[in-house]
Amino acid sequence: MKKKWLAGILSAVMVFTAAGCGGGDSAGDGSAAPINLKMSYTTSETSVWRVACEEMAKALEEATDGRYKVSIYANEQLAGGAMDQGCQMILDGTVDLDLRSITNYTLYDPALFAVVMPFMFSSSDDVDARLLNGSAGDLVKERVEALGVKVLGLAENGFRSVTNSKKEIKSPADLSGMKFRVPATACWVDTFKLFGADPTVMTFSEVFTALQQGAIDGQENPTDPIVSSKLYEVQNYLTKWNYAYDCLVMTCSQKLWDSLSEEDQAVFAEAGAAACAAEVAASREADAGNFQLMADNGMKITELTDAEMAAFKDAAAPIYDAYRKQIGDDVFAAFGYTFE
């Protein structure tokens, strides 16, 4: 009797345990419930940035047969519109996946200013050779990962143009006394001050209203944020000065990355690299069309001559000496820049 009683108890335990292991199944149909991830980015739903986010979500879902589902949040929605808070959320693991400008990480590591120093890069080919596919890019990934995230790839925000509602800008003197919104990127703020402008730091989500109300005269950005936010509706002039190149960093929170199997880590890494490559291609394809769209909407587009561009470069040169200590000669050297 004791043996029969013990066997009955063991059978019940085994049934209960098996039922408990099925707790992750959905609707009792034997299929595991998907793992839902949150992905955040800074710009609007119509931005080319979204290409990377949607490609990432699609690749993860397809490669894992739906085990992972990604919800995408634009406009720093999860951070109340604040880029600095959004950056902190991926660093502390509140958000699972993230796409943001490298400028946000300079708040934590000033050496990353090297990426966005005025006139560091001359063309897209130069960017590809030294940053997106070069040793400088490897250094950027290494330093961002040291902050506590896993870098899945580098994408492109692009070369930055300057817009305003007052006049055509063709020389540093043309910026004198004008109020420009500039991101909280110290070397850019200092560059505008060097040109005699009055730079104002504000969240990007506030820029359209500030321009519309005349609180600021202009702003600077790559073409995609200008167009996706319809800043051409409140700006009359744009100068293609390409004074800084801005790259994007796609990351996975360290908390999530450490929880993944080696197989899933490989899936995430491959998906991130492919998503970033797709965004870079889309960004460059869209650039020419963006300039035409702005012109069609009444903006005067100014392209600088070589002499005019040289005048801006010469005026910005002191910034390199000013940031030499923060960035370090070794980091500058990785970007191919050496001091005489």
Side-chain angles (χ1 to χ4, degrees):
M1 289 295 293
K2 288 184 178 180
K3 290 182 178 179
K4 290 181 179 180
W5 176 81
L6 181 59
I9 292 293
L10 290 174
S11 296
V13 169
M14 291 174 67
V15 170
F16 178 79
T17 302
C21 290
D25 291 351
S26 58
D29 62 1
S31 60
I35 299 171
N36 295 305
L37 305 178
K38 294 180 180 179
M39 183 170 196
S40 177
Y41 70 104
T42 305
T43 52
S44 72
E45 289 87 347
T46 59
S47 166
V48 73
W49 293 31
R50 194 167 182 96
V51 170
C53 297
E54 291 184 348
E55 287 290 328
M56 182 67 183
K58 179 182 177 182
L60 282 183
E61 291 177 23
E62 290 182 351
T64 63
D65 295 323
R67 283 192 296 111
Y68 290 96
K69 298 286 185 182
V70 180
S71 296
I72 302 171
Y73 297 86
N75 294 314
E76 298 286 6
Q77 179 184 345
L78 299 177
M83 288 184 287
D84 55 348
Q85 180 61 28
C87 191
Q88 186 58 49
M89 289 175 74
I90 188 63
L91 292 176
D92 64 24
T94 305
V95 171
D96 303 299
L97 298 165
D98 184 82
L99 181 69
R100 68 183 49 256
S101 167
I102 189 64
T103 60
N104 296 167
Y105 291 107
T106 61
L107 299 173
Y108 301 89
D109 183 358
L112 294 170
F113 279 128
V115 181
V116 296
M117 289 294 283
F119 308 107
M120 173 61 80
F121 298 100
S122 60
S123 66
S124 294
D125 288 342
D126 188 23
V127 167
D128 290 343
R130 289 197 284 149
L131 183 64
L132 298 185
N133 302 308
S135 59
D138 293 336
L139 179 64
V140 168
K141 294 174 184 177
E142 178 184 323
R143 296 194 78 108
V144 172
E145 289 187 345
L147 301 176
V149 290
K150 175 62 181 179
V151 175
L152 301 178
L154 299 180
E156 179 168 285
N157 199 18
F159 283 101
R160 305 178 78 88
S161 296
V162 61
T163 72
N164 81 98
S165 59
K166 299 292 185 182
K167 60 184 178 181
E168 186 178 18
I169 293 173
K170 301 184 72 173
S171 71
D174 291 331
L175 282 79
S176 181
M178 295 179 66
K179 295 181 179 180
F180 288 90
R181 180 268 179 177
V182 180
T185 304
C187 68
W188 292 349
V189 173
D190 289 343
T191 299
F192 271 78
K193 288 180 179 177
L194 196 62
F195 293 157
D198 180 9
T200 298
V201 172
M202 68 173 63
T203 300
F204 183 70
S205 59
E206 301 173 356
V207 172
F208 185 95
T209 301
L211 291 168
Q212 187 178 46
Q213 295 177 347
I216 53 177
D217 300 312
Q219 60 85 53
E220 53 74 66
N221 253 306
T223 64
D224 180 70
I226 296 171
V227 168
S228 63
S229 299
K230 298 185 177 181
L231 299 187
Y232 51 80
E233 294 182 355
V234 288
Q235 297 280 266
N236 301 322
Y237 303 93
L238 179 146
T239 296
K240 296 169 67 173
W241 65 344
N242 293 348
Y243 91 111
Y245 176 82
D246 187 3
C247 80
L248 306 178
V249 187
M250 180 178 284
T251 56
C252 172
S253 76
Q254 196 66 51
K255 178 181 177 183
L256 172 60
W257 182 258
D258 290 343
S259 74
L260 300 175
S261 65
E262 289 187 6
E263 292 79 8
D264 280 353
Q265 285 181 347
V267 168
F268 273 65
E270 183 176 350
C276 287
E279 190 278 340
V280 170
S283 175
R284 294 180 183 179
E285 182 177 351
D287 228 20
N290 286 339
F291 283 118
Q292 187 60 53
L293 185 151
M294 288 185 281
D296 290 344
N297 279 271
M299 289 188 77
K300 180 175 177 56
I301 309 298
T302 299
E303 296 198 39
L304 301 178
T305 65
D306 291 343
E308 289 167 342
M309 184 68 80
F312 277 105
K313 291 180 180 180
D314 290 344
I319 294 296
Y320 279 77
D321 287 324
Y323 280 79
R324 183 175 183 177
K325 185 175 181 180
Q326 290 187 61
I327 295 172
D329 286 10
D330 57 333
V331 175
F332 271 122
F335 280 76
Y337 184 92
T338 57
F339 291 87
E340 294 181 0

